[in-house]
Amino acid sequence: MYKLTLDGVDIMGERLAEEVVEVINRRPEARKISFIAHSVGGLVARYAIGRLYRPPRRKAVEDLSSGVCDDISRGTICGLEAMNFITVATPHLGSRGHKQVPFLFGVTAIEKVASIVIHLIFRRTGRHLFLNDNDEGKPPLLKLMLDDCGELYFMSALQAFKRRVAYANVGYDHIVGWRTSSIRRNSELPKWKDSISEKYPHIVYEEISEGKNSDKCTEDAMTVGNCDALEEELVTGLTRVSWERVDVSFHTSRLRFAAHSVIQVKDIAMHSEGADVIQHMIDHFLN
């Protein structure tokens, strides 16, 4: 079963979409839907909602007093109202950029070699993460997922949710870097301080960003010569919609080097220090 993770974001996304449809068919009383996904699962979920999205239907509603027609229907996810779309330590910008995979130590030569050989280990999923896939001459999948593409409504589906939230480790996550998991440019990473909250001791920074348009690299990125054009396209495309960003730090934790697992409490016995992050999700969840 573990090998299925190597099949590629698109194939996994199709499988997830099929599973969601099966669940919905078993629960005809369902009216709303949310997604919470960890690591590459966030990319898989983004693909799946693109497949499951249903465009809005314009219904002519006659107001008896004014005769006005109005649009009373919104786009849905398989007919359900889209509520929360939450990703946790997800490499939204891929993994090939500088320091996007921290265990490569930010050494450019190592990062370049990893980009070349990654498919030998992680197969199609590795190609998707390192943005060097070109199925049938098409652009990388993560770039295609910035817009609607045929019957796959990637961006429309993302916009349909009332909330989009990105939880990210600010450090000690050796699998997924802070920049890619929080959908920011390097110059946009905030200065954070230790949490003073007793309820959420590992939440160190929160912000809500409105959707915006930008078509060029920031001056800071250009100055250091570290502006990957494709990564910039991904940041620009994804930030056309609003995001809630929640930055997490386990730097004082005894298991800080396992931050990628602790943030999702992968094992309740080993990773319980991340429970406050899960509680934060619960407390802010739209029902």
Side-chain angles (χ1 to χ4, degrees):
M1 291 297 292
Y2 285 108
K3 292 182 179 180
L4 296 179
T5 303
L6 310 178
D7 289 346
V9 171
D10 50 354
I11 293 177
M12 289 190 285
E14 295 287 357
R15 284 201 295 255
L16 176 58
E18 291 175 4
E19 184 176 346
V20 171
V21 170
E22 291 175 2
V23 172
I24 292 173
N25 288 338
R26 292 199 303 267
R27 300 192 55 183
E29 76 280 5
R31 295 291 178 268
K32 301 176 181 180
I33 189 168
S34 293
F35 286 78
I36 304 177
H38 175 256
S39 196
V40 72
L43 302 178
V44 174
R46 278 177 47 203
Y47 187 99
I49 63 174
R51 173 64 72 192
L52 296 168
Y53 179 76
R54 301 290 180 269
R57 293 172 295 155
R58 296 190 64 87
K59 295 183 179 179
V61 180
E62 294 188 6
D63 187 310
L64 295 179
S65 60
S66 62
V68 175
C69 292
D70 195 11
D71 182 2
I72 64 170
S73 181
R74 298 178 57 205
T76 65
I77 301 300
C78 206
L80 304 184
E81 184 179 7
M83 301 299 288
N84 309 271
F85 189 86
I86 301 172
T87 64
V88 184
T90 288
H92 287 286
L93 310 181
S95 302
R96 84 170 186 185
H98 185 55
K99 295 185 178 180
Q100 296 290 45
V101 181
F103 77 77
L104 297 178
F105 309 111
V107 178
T108 302
I110 297 177
E111 291 174 340
K112 287 183 177 179
V113 171
S115 180
I116 295 171
V117 303
I118 193 67
H119 69 282
L120 299 177
I121 306 171
F122 296 109
R123 293 173 19 194
R124 290 188 75 248
T125 299
R127 289 190 183 279
H128 289 154
L129 290 174
F130 276 78
L131 310 174
N132 57 17
D133 55 302
N134 60 346
D135 293 350
E136 300 177 354
K138 296 178 182 178
L141 179 62
L142 296 193
K143 180 178 179 179
L144 291 176
M145 288 168 60
L146 297 177
D147 291 292
D148 295 346
C149 184
E151 296 182 352
L152 292 164
Y153 298 90
F154 297 123
M155 190 51 67
S156 291
L158 206 51
Q159 290 175 324
F161 285 84
K162 292 189 175 181
R163 297 177 68 225
R164 289 159 297 277
V165 191
Y167 284 81
N169 281 310
V170 303
Y172 291 103
D173 187 328
H174 299 297
I175 309 298
V176 179
W178 185 14
R179 197 167 79 246
T180 187
S181 56
S182 65
I183 319 176
R184 293 185 178 108
R185 300 171 179 86
N186 198 57
S187 61
E188 296 171 335
L189 295 174
K191 295 184 181 301
W192 57 273
K193 298 179 180 179
D194 288 348
S195 173
I196 59 174
S197 169
E198 292 185 7
K199 190 172 186 180
Y200 313 121
H202 298 108
I203 305 294
V204 297
Y205 194 87
E206 295 181 69
E207 70 175 11
I208 299 178
S209 65
E210 297 300 324
K212 58 187 178 181
N213 290 315
S214 174
D215 58 4
K216 60 181 180 180
C217 298
T218 61
E219 183 177 346
D220 173 70
M222 293 179 69
T223 300
V224 298
N226 188 35
C227 183
D228 183 296
L230 183 50
E231 181 180 316
E232 180 63 26
E233 282 189 68
L234 297 177
V235 175
T236 301
L238 287 170
T239 54
R240 284 180 293 164
V241 295
S242 62
W243 286 88
E244 296 174 37
R245 295 185 177 95
V246 183
D247 298 311
V248 178
S249 176
F250 295 105
H251 69 288
T252 60
S253 168
R254 59 186 177 83
L255 289 177
R256 56 186 176 275
F257 292 105
H260 192 68
S261 295
V262 176
I263 195 173
Q264 65 151 337
V265 192
K266 185 175 182 179
D267 181 283
I268 189 63
M270 291 183 58
H271 307 130
S272 61
E273 287 185 82
D276 63 305
V277 180
I278 305 302
Q279 190 61 53
H280 186 277
M281 294 180 202
I282 294 171
D283 292 345
H284 293 80
F285 205 77
L286 286 182
N287 296 312

